[in-house]
Amino acid sequence: MELQKNAPIPYWVVGNRYHVLSDRWSSRGIIKGTVIEVAHLSDDGKIMVRHPEQPGRLYPFEPLELQDLHFSTIV
């Protein structure tokens, strides 16, 4: 968990799913307990994450925004 939390951008692999363990992004619709998936990396360097319960909804994140976001990988 500690390694994931501080991982650089290469950790955020397209197709990986994560269980959100923080309410930090609740204002963007990502609340604690949400499962998100890395959809793609955009041309401008943002990490696009998909909310599996709302498949058409993507959230752009700067890599530094995710440095302290608490995720646990879902296998």
Side-chain angles (χ1 to χ4, degrees), residues 9-50:
I9 187 170
Y11 179 79
W12 308 105
V13 178
V14 172
N16 275 8
R17 297 176 68 199
Y18 301 90
H19 183 240
V20 179
L21 302 177
S22 167
D23 275 324
R24 180 172 176 169
W25 282 274
S26 58
S27 62
R28 292 172 73 175
I30 299 174
I31 59 173
K32 186 175 181 177
T34 301
V35 175
I36 58 124
E37 177 183 336
V38 176
H40 65 273
L41 306 180
S42 65
D43 291 338
D44 62 358
K46 291 186 179 166
I47 300 167
M48 303 299 290
V49 298
R50 177 182 294 119

Side-chain angles (χ1 to χ4, degrees), residues 38-70:
V38 176
H40 65 273
L41 306 180
S42 65
D43 291 338
D44 62 358
K46 291 186 179 166
I47 300 167
M48 303 299 290
V49 298
R50 177 182 294 119
H51 191 303
E53 295 168 10
Q54 301 170 15
R57 193 152 186 197
L58 297 176
Y59 302 88
F61 283 96
E62 295 288 341
L64 292 179
E65 284 185 282
L66 295 175
Q67 279 189 338
D68 65 345
L69 185 56
H70 301 283

